[in-house]
Amino acid sequence: MEFNNVKSSVMQITNEECIEILDKAAAGLLALLDEDGYPYTVPVNFVYSEGCIYLHSASEFFHSNVMGESSRVGFSVILRDTIEPETFLTGYDSVLCLGQIRVVADGDEKQKAVSELVLKYTKEIPNNVEHYAQEIQTFYMQTPILRLDIVRMTGKNSGTKMKVGRGDTPSQEKKVTGIGGIFFKTKDPIATRKWYEEHLGIPDTPYGYSFEWYEQKDSDRISTTVWSPFPESSDYFGDNNQEYMINYRVQNLERLAVQLREQGVTILDSVEDFEGIGRFLHILDVDARRIELWEPL
């Protein structure tokens, strides 16, 4: 199975997140072509299992579509779908799968698929395996099962904007959520780090120190603010005359980049993903000072 890498979109989510959405979604849309070549979709219940998707439908549907000349299909789910009326912005978690579909003929595989389908939709019921044993057997005998072997899978997430709080207007989105880092130049970063450790207690680590704190609205989520000296020769700040750079934590960086560009702000690069860290973008402020925007994971 290929997990498609959509480099043009920083809204792409990881393979594990795609699978999590498939596990949680109650229904999906199966996309096919009819005998005249017109595309259409069918809502179906399904279960994800080890790189494939099992689903069921009426027997006549199988024979007229799945058993036709082409078994290539599309399958999509949307787990969350929200709308911000004031800004026309949407938030969603979605997965799109492309692959080949066939009728499950093997008895053992069909039994496994039927059991997983039934158990997915009854997992809140205690002792559901024993409780639905007869239903599983009836389902197995009477219902054809399809298997969609996933060839390509992509997923996207578009976060919703922050809730309106004191000082915000309904159409104004809070963009900066905190300070992500303070970076400054020094003649000798090693000596600087040692001085701060000795006199102010900031631990000396090769890349500075990350101060941990808990987010106000999520007491279980640990966040960081990075303190880091850079050598004078570093070009990370852009202009050689710039002695420091501040990293600002933000939400919805891709959308923010569009808004800043529309407002005439100088964008120095494109939004870039760093695995395990987050998304970054560099811009110039009103004093032509380079600043870093960071959307943490």
Side-chain angles (χ1 to χ4, degrees), residues 90 130 159 178-179 187 195 206 234 248 259 273-274 295:
T90 60
E130 296 80 5
I179 302 299
K187 292 181 179 180
W195 186 94
S234 174
Y248 294 96
Q259 294 172 348
D273 281 342
F274 286 85
E295 181 183 358

Side-chain angles (χ1 to χ4, degrees), residues 212-224 249 297:
E212 294 185 347
W213 45 275
Y214 290 95
E215 293 194 4
Q216 182 179 4
K217 295 183 179 180
D218 187 352
S219 60
D220 295 327
R221 181 180 175 88
I222 297 178
S223 299
T224 59
R249 297 168 60 94
L297 292 179

Side-chain angles (χ1 to χ4, degrees), residues 204-237:
D204 180 11
T205 62
Y207 300 102
Y209 183 72
S210 296
F211 292 90
E212 294 185 347
W213 45 275
Y214 290 95
E215 293 194 4
Q216 182 179 4
K217 295 183 179 180
D218 187 352
S219 60
D220 295 327
R221 181 180 175 88
I222 297 178
S223 299
T224 59
T225 297
V226 179
W227 174 92
S228 182
F230 278 68
E232 286 186 328
S233 59
S234 174
D235 58 1
Y236 191 58
F237 302 172

Side-chain angles (χ1 to χ4, degrees), residues 119-149:
L119 296 180
K120 173 180 178 177
Y121 294 98
T122 62
K123 59 186 176 182
E124 301 300 327
I125 300 176
N127 303 315
N128 57 352
V129 177
E130 296 80 5
H131 185 82
Y132 285 97
Q134 183 58 48
E135 284 79 358
I136 291 175
Q137 187 60 30
T138 302
F139 194 7
Y140 169 78
M141 297 296 295
Q142 299 180 353
T143 308
I145 298 295
L146 289 177
R147 169 174 170 157
L148 168 57
D149 291 305

Side-chain angles (χ1 to χ4, degrees), residues 66-99:
V66 179
M67 304 304 291
E69 294 182 0
S70 176
S71 62
R72 294 179 180 179
V73 299
F75 182 80
S76 64
V77 300
I78 298 178
L79 184 62
R80 175 181 62 90
D81 185 10
T82 60
I83 299 176
E84 297 290 343
E86 300 88 355
T87 59
F88 299 100
L89 298 175
T90 60
Y92 58 85
D93 300 298
S94 65
V95 173
L96 171 64
C97 301
L98 301 177

Side-chain angles (χ1 to χ4, degrees), residues 42-215:
V42 179
V44 293
N45 296 126
F46 72 98
V47 64
Y48 174 85
S49 178
E50 301 176 353
C52 68
I53 291 172
Y54 292 107
L55 48 94
H56 67 91
S57 187
S59 299
E60 58 271 19
F61 168 79
F62 290 175
H63 292 293
S64 62
N65 294 280
V66 179
M67 304 304 291
E69 294 182 0
S70 176
S71 62
R72 294 179 180 179
V73 299
F75 182 80
S76 64
V77 300
I78 298 178
L79 184 62
R80 175 181 62 90
D81 185 10
T82 60
I83 299 176
E84 297 290 343
E86 300 88 355
T87 59
F88 299 100
L89 298 175
T90 60
Y92 58 85
D93 300 298
S94 65
V95 173
L96 171 64
C97 301
L98 301 177
Q100 294 185 313
I101 198 167
R102 60 179 174 83
V103 177
V104 176
D106 180 78
D108 291 339
E109 182 182 7
K110 183 178 179 182
Q111 181 73 48
K112 172 178 176 290
V114 168
S115 298
E116 291 185 0
L117 275 165
V118 172
L119 296 180
K120 173 180 178 177
Y121 294 98
T122 62
K123 59 186 176 182
E124 301 300 327
I125 300 176
N127 303 315
N128 57 352
V129 177
E130 296 80 5
H131 185 82
Y132 285 97
Q134 183 58 48
E135 284 79 358
I136 291 175
Q137 187 60 30
T138 302
F139 194 7
Y140 169 78
M141 297 296 295
Q142 299 180 353
T143 308
I145 298 295
L146 289 177
R147 169 174 170 157
L148 168 57
D149 291 305
I150 301 173
V151 175
R152 186 179 305 160
M153 180 163 71
T154 62
K156 287 187 177 182
N157 163 264
S158 174
T160 56
K161 72 173 191 176
M162 293 185 63
K163 293 181 179 179
V164 174
R166 184 176 300 176
D168 295 330
T169 63
S171 61
Q172 181 181 12
E173 183 177 357
K174 186 176 180 181
K175 300 170 182 177
V176 172
T177 62
I179 302 299
I182 299 175
F183 312 131
F184 59 95
K185 290 182 179 180
T186 178
K187 292 181 179 180
D188 189 340
I190 296 177
T192 299
R193 293 197 307 266
K194 290 185 178 300
W195 186 94
Y196 274 89
E197 181 180 48
E198 178 181 354
H199 298 286
L200 295 178
I202 299 178
D204 180 11
T205 62
Y207 300 102
Y209 183 72
S210 296
F211 292 90
E212 294 185 347
W213 45 275
Y214 290 95
E215 293 194 4

